[in-house]
Amino acid sequence: MTYKKHPTFDLDQKDLIYSLDNDFMSKELASTCYHCLSAIEPKELVEASLSGVIHQFCCAGCMAIAQTIHRDGLSIFYSKRSQVNIKPEAYLALNEIPEKLKPYDDLSLRNRFTRPYGDAGVLETTLRLEKIRCAACVWLCEHHLRRLVGVLDIQINYVTQKVMVRFSPEKISLARLLFEIERIGYEAWPFEPSLLIERAKEERRSLLARLGVALLGTMQVMMYAWPTYVGADIASEHGLLLNWTSWALTVPVIIYSAGPIFQTAWRSMQSFHKTHILGMDVPIALALALAFTVGTINLMSGTGQIYFDSITMFVAFILAARYVELLARQDAQGGAEALAKQLPAICDHLTNYPGSTQVTIVPVVNCRPGDVLRVSPGDIIPVDGILIENESALDESLLSGESKPVYKRIGDAVYAGTHNILNPLLMRVDAVGQSTRIAGIAALLDKALLTKPRMVSLAEKWAGYFVLCLILTAFITSAVWLWIDPSKAWTVLVSVLVVSCPCALSLAVPTAVAAAQGAVTKQGLLIIRGHVMEELANVTDLVLDKTGTLTMGLPELLEIVYHRNTHTRHDVLALAAGLESGQRHPLALALLRVAEKELKCPLTLAKPVMNHLGQGLSSGPYRLGSASWIGVKKIAKLGPYGEVHLSDASGLIASFIFLDTPRAGLESLLKAARSRGIHVHLVSGDDPNTVAWWASHVGIKSYVGGCTPQGKYEYIEGLQKQGALVWAIGDGVNDAPLLARASVSVAIGSGAPLAAAGADAVLTASSLEPLARALLLADKTQIIIKQNLLWALIYNLIAIPFAMMGLVNPWIAGVGMSLSSLAVTLNAWRLRKA
């Protein structure tokens, strides 16, 4: 055999790559590529030594991918993966980022497709993975990326085909990440949240098309089978024509409509030697294949039943049930889909602002930070930015859960996905793509889908074992019927396979959990980790932080203490408001809010107001400030946010006492917790006297003040050692250890990012009401799950024996199995209205 060295690659002597000469074409015609398993054209054969073994490849791209996989020590992938049959590009043999990926290293594009994570300069991005076909693909991508310097964490969702990567931009670039995924045979692109809705539509369209073909085939085949049902006397040649026509109509139903069922079943059988679990589609695919094969043989031989009516009806029913299941699943993810719907595709761009107000309509994807956009009343804000002209009111209910419009002034932040409802406004773009707040929320929703609750995993596991048992049972039953009555053996086999498929069992838990998560998402609670709803139903203790959680951290005027009878409430408020005019201190704003409500017109002081940093304000003889600056004794009251004192040349006039504002929905949360026997604890780093006052004020018996972050951690640890299942709610950086230790943790969305990063869920609403609803919904979810599991159990206990006794026809079995799955799905769907 004659070889010549491949001219494209510069490799070591032991890894020489050769091209086969033409005179040896016929000998290698049947060889297949080691990587993609496709047939190798004689002129394209290349060989390389991998781990001391010579392997053949169809192209340089496959060779380069295989070398990367072997070099990383991931060659076990080749014993796991399914067939590829896709030839990669030859440039993968080089270690250079291609031109098409280099733009992602541009700072503006990187900012579009990444978002900060934590406070250490780490970035997070969501990528859409293409060409992944099985669990082995997920395994390879995950292990390869984890080996890259600079990649800190990676999570892949096979169902949504998305990967979430956290990386250090100082060590690895976004373009390099995309290229490294290509180097192992896949493709990845930065994910845009607006693509969510398009993908959901495409999924519905595809399933609806398959269902349409199945329904059309069912109607026609049933029409041709009708003479057989009613015992009509027709000529044999006419009956044969109807039967062959039924066969022709069943073929597209089997190939197209039921195609995904066969594909999923085949992948499950391929991985059985590793998982020892078979998927739900395996018995369905077996039943369809056996029924169609036997029906075709009987049609050709002219004896026995042909089953085509049962096959088409069964496929139509199961696809109808799966379409309803798909609608329920997408509705349960309505929070993420609603986010995607909010992002428009185009926007009004002011190219030459401020020199010109001429508007150009451009795609939102072309916007860059610093651009100026105009948003008309009724339109949706396309990106995050800063309001620069025309004050307006925005509906931010999707992001915050607050239904009241939020008034925006010049300089305020506006967010993508919110509705402009008052005036046309101009905004300067601040963040686009994955950097926007709405994209961050969508990323949290994706993160929730990456983890499965314990009950879901158990249900899927036992359903897999159940499938194996029912297949064995079906074949044993069929063998018995071969001995008793051979004419019923095939019918019983198909009926048992179909009727006992554990679709209802496997759907019982995940549909309920998904519906519950979708319901609380719409109310303003974003579930990040899948166990939240499951654990909330079992919590025994609730631990609350004070400032920022139980209270808003915003003062309100609680009381005015008068020291002279010569001044009325109107007088002291007018003087205080005149001194505080234009100030932005929280206490000043609280005073001004009260004055605005009670005074008809503000008081203008004769002398200019002087600001004494850290002490107070003065104007002529009037002074407003701290007790030490005024020269008076501080008023001893428990629980106040603060106090300021008003005086003149004659002495003290009045004292203003402020109290923190309780967070809305607190009463509902405490009521819901107490109704379920949950012990409530208030643990705060604030002054112990203040904490004691607030605990008494809201009716909490267990409280601790002056706690350090370590102290909060140890408090929860102590409760857990006593057997408590702790639910913690906090907002600040010092709450991060508390949230991490708790069995279930919720971070207030307006709080520190670090707290949100360690929490199981994030409250985006300003009220605690969604938490009270989530607690009640968790109980309803457990009830729905138990109902679903009970229904699935009763159905199988009744249906399987009937099928084994030959009392159920295949088409009836298909209807029963589909209706069972449909009942479970619709029962879980009720939670979305809770």
Side-chain angles (χ1 to χ4, degrees), residues 35-56:
H35 174 69
C36 73
L37 303 181
S38 58
I40 302 176
E41 295 293 332
K43 293 184 178 180
E44 297 179 351
L45 174 65
V46 291
E47 294 181 340
S49 173
L50 302 176
S51 304
V53 179
I54 299 294
H55 293 285
Q56 298 178 335

Side-chain angles (χ1 to χ4, degrees), residues 424-748:
L425 61 85
L426 297 185
M427 60 174 291
R428 179 171 286 107
V429 177
D430 186 47
V432 293
Q434 291 192 27
S435 299
T436 60
R437 184 178 179 185
I438 199 172
I441 295 176
L444 291 179
L445 295 174
D446 288 336
K447 189 174 181 179
L449 299 176
L450 293 171
T451 56
K452 291 183 180 179
R454 183 172 62 253
M455 292 183 66
V456 174
S457 300
L458 286 175
E460 291 180 350
K461 179 181 178 180
W462 285 108
Y465 291 138
F466 187 72
V467 167
L468 183 60
C469 292
L470 80 88
I471 290 176
L472 294 175
T473 301
F475 279 99
I476 292 172
T477 305
S478 179
V480 172
W481 275 102
L482 277 173
W483 179 66
I484 298 174
D485 184 357
S487 64
K488 289 188 175 182
W490 282 109
T491 302
V492 170
L493 174 62
V494 173
S495 297
V496 174
L497 285 172
V498 172
V499 80
S500 56
C501 178
C503 291
L505 176 63
S506 63
L507 291 173
V509 180
T511 51
V513 173
Q517 289 185 1
V520 296
T521 296
K522 293 174 183 177
Q523 293 170 3
L525 179 64
L526 298 181
I527 304 293
I528 299 176
R529 296 178 177 88
H531 72 279
V532 170
M533 298 305 297
E534 183 180 351
E535 297 286 5
L536 274 182
N538 303 312
V539 295
T540 60
D541 291 73
L542 170 60
V543 177
L544 293 167
D545 178 44
K546 189 187 81 66
T547 305
T549 303
L550 186 140
T551 63
M552 296 289 291
L554 297 174
E556 62 179 6
L557 183 61
L558 174 68
E559 181 183 358
I560 301 177
V561 179
Y562 303 96
H563 300 287
R564 294 188 200 170
N565 295 331
T566 56
H567 288 72
T568 64
R569 180 181 177 89
H570 180 277
D571 296 334
V572 296
L573 273 178
L575 284 170
L579 287 163
E580 295 283 17
S581 179
Q583 300 298 316
R584 307 299 297 175
H585 188 277
L587 297 183
L589 295 175
L591 264 174
L592 291 172
R593 283 195 298 269
V594 175
E596 185 178 356
K597 291 180 181 178
E598 298 187 16
L599 303 181
K600 294 182 179 180
C601 58
L603 175 67
T604 302
L605 298 174
K607 301 287 185 177
V609 177
M610 305 296 293
N611 191 335
H612 304 270
L613 191 62
Q615 296 179 316
L617 305 165
S618 66
S619 175
Y622 297 107
R623 292 200 297 174
L624 180 69
S626 64
S628 58
W629 186 55
I630 299 294
V632 298
K633 186 178 180 181
K634 189 174 181 180
I635 297 176
K637 281 185 176 287
L638 294 177
Y641 185 98
E643 59 185 61
V644 293
H645 305 272
L646 177 65
S647 69
D648 61 9
S650 301
L652 192 61
I653 300 174
S655 298
F656 301 89
I657 300 174
F658 300 87
L659 185 69
D660 204 348
T661 309
R663 186 174 286 275
L666 175 63
E667 185 178 349
S668 298
L669 175 60
L670 296 178
K671 182 179 178 180
R674 288 164 183 155
S675 67
R676 297 182 70 257
I678 296 175
H679 302 288
V680 183
H681 309 259
L682 180 60
V683 182
S684 174
D686 286 3
D687 178 75
N689 291 332
T690 301
V691 175
W693 187 91
W694 272 104
S696 175
H697 183 66
V698 299
I700 297 177
K701 296 180 180 179
S702 301
Y703 56 89
V704 178
C707 257
T708 63
Q710 180 65 24
K712 293 181 179 182
Y713 182 92
E714 292 172 351
Y715 188 91
I716 287 186
E717 191 176 40
L719 292 175
Q720 291 173 331
K721 286 180 179 179
Q722 298 172 19
L725 189 67
V726 181
W727 177 21
I729 307 173
D731 74 312
V733 172
N734 62 340
D735 293 327
L738 171 140
L739 297 176
R741 179 66 191 182
S743 304
V744 187
S745 57
V746 176
I748 305 300

Side-chain angles (χ1 to χ4, degrees), residues 201-283:
K201 286 181 179 178
E202 180 58 34
E203 193 175 5
R204 290 196 297 269
R205 279 195 296 263
S206 176
L207 184 53
L208 197 58
R210 296 179 191 279
L211 174 60
V213 171
L215 287 172
L216 183 61
T218 299
M219 289 187 293
Q220 294 299 317
V221 172
M222 291 296 292
M223 183 177 67
Y224 295 143
W226 185 253
T228 305
Y229 295 148
V230 298
D233 185 16
I234 60 174
S236 59
E237 60 271 16
H238 293 160
L240 187 62
L241 176 62
L242 292 178
N243 289 342
W244 275 106
T245 305
S246 297
W247 178 88
L249 291 168
T250 305
V251 170
V253 175
I254 287 289
I255 295 176
Y256 176 68
S257 297
I261 297 175
F262 287 102
Q263 293 170 4
T264 305
W266 177 246
R267 287 196 295 265
S268 178
M269 294 175 68
Q270 281 184 312
S271 61
F272 176 73
H273 68 287
K274 295 184 178 297
T275 63
H276 305 295
I277 294 176
L278 291 176
M280 294 178 299
D281 283 343
V282 173

Side-chain angles (χ1 to χ4, degrees), residues 754-812:
L754 183 59
D760 300 320
V762 176
L763 180 68
T764 59
S766 59
S767 170
L768 296 176
E769 185 71 31
L771 299 182
R773 295 177 182 173
L775 193 59
L776 299 176
L777 190 61
D779 291 333
K780 293 181 181 179
T781 303
Q782 294 302 306
I783 294 173
I784 293 292
I785 288 174
K786 290 175 182 178
Q787 290 174 348
N788 285 350
L789 290 173
L790 181 62
W791 163 250
L793 178 63
I794 292 174
Y795 164 76
N796 282 287
L797 288 176
I798 295 175
I800 293 176
F802 273 79
M804 293 174 68
M805 290 186 291
L807 302 177
V808 178
N809 290 327
W811 73 269
I812 296 178

